[in-house]
Amino acid sequence: WELRWPQKSPYGILVCSFMVPTDLKRNEDTTLERGRFFMHHRIWSEETLESERERRRAIQSEASIALKERDEQVEKLVDEEESAFNKVVSYGKAAKSMSNFRSSGLEEARFTPLFDDQVLELVPRACILSTRGLIYKARSEKKREMEIAGQSRVDWLKDVR
């Protein structure tokens, strides 16, 4: 395992690596292909976690407004009483709202846990681990290409302490 925390980043990443030496088959239709896997879980200090939580709430609010605006414009698109010109304008506004939603940062912000039951305090106030992470699989041993293989949850660690 390794802990990476870039100097200007509000969070670090705890990386755990493991090898699956042969394909593992479970049931009829599930196979875990052999290869190297990496579990990534974000880590914050108490201060940076609170700051990132505030940022996530603001981003969620902006994203919600963009979706509401889109829905309002789509309603005008399907309204038979609207003129063709108004429908074209509504289509443009709906597209702009979706562009605002996609560029809001929501996808990245979702990695910040909002509630204390979603984190594990490893070192009081200094090292707070998200209990939800991602698992990546190396595409090849020689290149550093990775693909998301699934999600990781370590909630059970709370019971170990």
Side-chain angles (χ1 to χ4, degrees), residues 11-13 40-44 49 52-53 55-56 59-60 105-115 118-119 128-136 148 150-152:
Y11 62 87
I13 297 176
H40 287 221
H41 286 261
R42 291 189 180 187
I43 293 180
W44 294 267
L49 177 58
E52 288 298 294
R53 282 176 169 169
R55 184 174 162 273
R56 178 179 171 178
I59 288 170
Q60 283 179 312
L106 183 62
E107 200 64 36
E108 174 70 17
R110 287 183 175 153
F111 288 103
T112 302
L114 286 176
F115 307 104
Q118 298 170 325
V119 297
I128 302 169
L129 174 76
S130 173
T131 59
R132 297 176 184 177
L134 291 174
I135 299 175
Y136 294 89
I148 295 176
Q151 296 182 4
S152 169

Side-chain angles (χ1 to χ4, degrees), residues 4 6 9 12 20 24 37 41 51 63 67 79 86 96 105 107 117-118 123 131-132 134 142 148 150 153 157:
R4 296 180 188 168
S9 176
V20 176
L24 300 174
F37 292 83
H41 286 261
S51 171
L67 289 179
D79 185 352
N86 285 344
K96 176 144 178 39
E107 200 64 36
D117 65 345
Q118 298 170 325
V123 177
T131 59
R132 297 176 184 177
L134 291 174
K142 295 177 184 173
I148 295 176
R153 293 193 61 157
L157 285 173

Side-chain angles (χ1 to χ4, degrees), residues 12-33:
I13 297 176
L14 178 66
V15 181
C16 302
S17 171
F18 60 95
M19 283 291 296
V20 176
T22 59
D23 288 357
L24 300 174
K25 198 166 188 117
R26 181 176 178 170
N27 303 328
E28 295 287 323
D29 58 350
T30 306
T31 301
L32 179 62
E33 296 177 1

Side-chain angles (χ1 to χ4, degrees), residues 61-72:
S61 177
E62 289 175 22
S64 178
I65 289 168
L67 289 179
K68 184 179 178 192
E69 289 173 358
R70 179 214 49 197
D71 291 346
E72 289 170 0

